[in-house]
Amino acid sequence: MAFKELDTAGWQALDSAHYLHPFTDHANLAKTGSRVAVRGEGVYVWDNNGDRIIDGLSGLGCVNIGYGRPELAKAVYDQMLDLSYCQSFFNTTHRSAVELADTLTSMLPEGLNHVFFQSSGSEANETAVRLIRKYWDLVGRPEKRVIIARELAYHGSTHMAASLSGITPMHYAGGDLPLPGIARINTPYQYRHGANMTADDFGVVAARWLEDKILEIGPENVAAFFAEPAQSAGGAICPPMTYWPEVQRICRKYDVLLVADEVVCGFGRTGDWFGCYHYGFVPDIMQLGKGLTSGYLPLSACVISDRITDVLIGLGGEWAHGYTYSGHPACCAVALENIRILREEKIVENAKAELVPYFKAKLETFVDHPLIGDVRSVGLMGGLEIVKDKKTGESYLYEEHIGPYCSAEAMKRGLAFRANGDTMSLMPPLVITKDQLDTVFDIAREALDATAKHLGKM
């Protein structure tokens, strides 16, 4: 087939015939046709029709340094010429994986000194669960099996990662989910669970839901608490600053491992290099991904504390776990170059100083919009929650698909604006400019106004 001769309709037909997409209603997609992306540069993506879209989502919260950086392409090219692939089994290593592991551990809190590489956040979370269960077995406490996670969490789509996730439609996708051994608590979602409290008071109250659950199950049975520093797919749920220090205190009190899924929050999303720095806590295990390579190649990391690795190495014998692409040379090379660019151009620091306050202020101008019940953000992650009744906080029914309607209105105008339920989420690249943010928010307002008119609210 002469693919170069295909027009948009031709690509859409082939897509519909052969390509199954993630988290997609394929019957509806067949009616509308896919958007065919062809090029990206900076904060923009162009489609097959020549339309330019400003990416308000950094892909899926991953393209932190923007599209089209030639330095990353060159890093991959150079690495592939030297060593295109190297397995990490059979007592074999290679330089880019070792250098990246050393680089990452030098950036993270003291005591997080070992790294295990995978290709995706889901795989990193699977690795974390294997480590948790193996650790408690090796120290002679196999009864500590239960992992506590949160409502509206997102940890990935593999069996265990989906089980840890608290987005219930994922549990109906097949596979008898969730798997056993998972308990759940409410998320620190102040708009829904603590609207009449101060943020500081609510943070402590929400953290103590974890303590209540530990005591209900029995501390002797609880292995770990598993959570994102701030929840992106749950709808930009950003806990108060008092939340994580209290969670850490509770985990230490009851000897429960603290696991931070930083797949989204890592590499600048919260305004600091990592969410644990922003919120002031130190995990026992941390998962990284997305911003690790700015999405240029698939790579994730599970970073492990000395407490766990000392036992695993000293008592564990063979660590019978791994992946064909663990520590892939090209992926590690692009991660190293991505981190170099972030550091040398001070992208995270500049975003924190210049963009984060501007982003927050622009978000807060939507407080008076007739559809918006809550505005929330941390760093360059923000959410505008659409409600049916601003006074009561009543939501629209899921079946009304108001968030997706608003998202489609934004896309018509050239903005990728994600609907997490009825929370409209933004996670722009860390290299976006203030002028580009003005465009993002102008289009977001137009899309919300169009949605309000559709609902008879304007």
Side-chain angles (χ1 to χ4, degrees), residues 120-126 129 147-158 160-167 170 182 184 225-229 231 233 259-263 287:
S120 71
S122 297
E123 290 173 340
N125 287 323
E126 295 283 337
V129 173
I147 297 172
I148 299 174
R150 299 187 300 196
E151 300 293 343
L152 299 178
Y154 181 79
H155 296 294
S157 289
T158 51
M160 179 54 75
S163 297
L164 291 164
S165 298
I167 299 172
M170 296 177 64
I182 308 296
R184 212 168 299 283
F225 176 57
F226 214 103
E228 307 145 274
Q231 294 169 249
V259 184
D261 179 347
E262 294 244 17
V263 170
Q287 293 80 261

Side-chain angles (χ1 to χ4, degrees), residues 30-41:
K31 296 174 187 175
T32 61
S34 294
R35 179 169 297 98
V36 184
V38 295
R39 184 168 71 89
E41 182 179 340

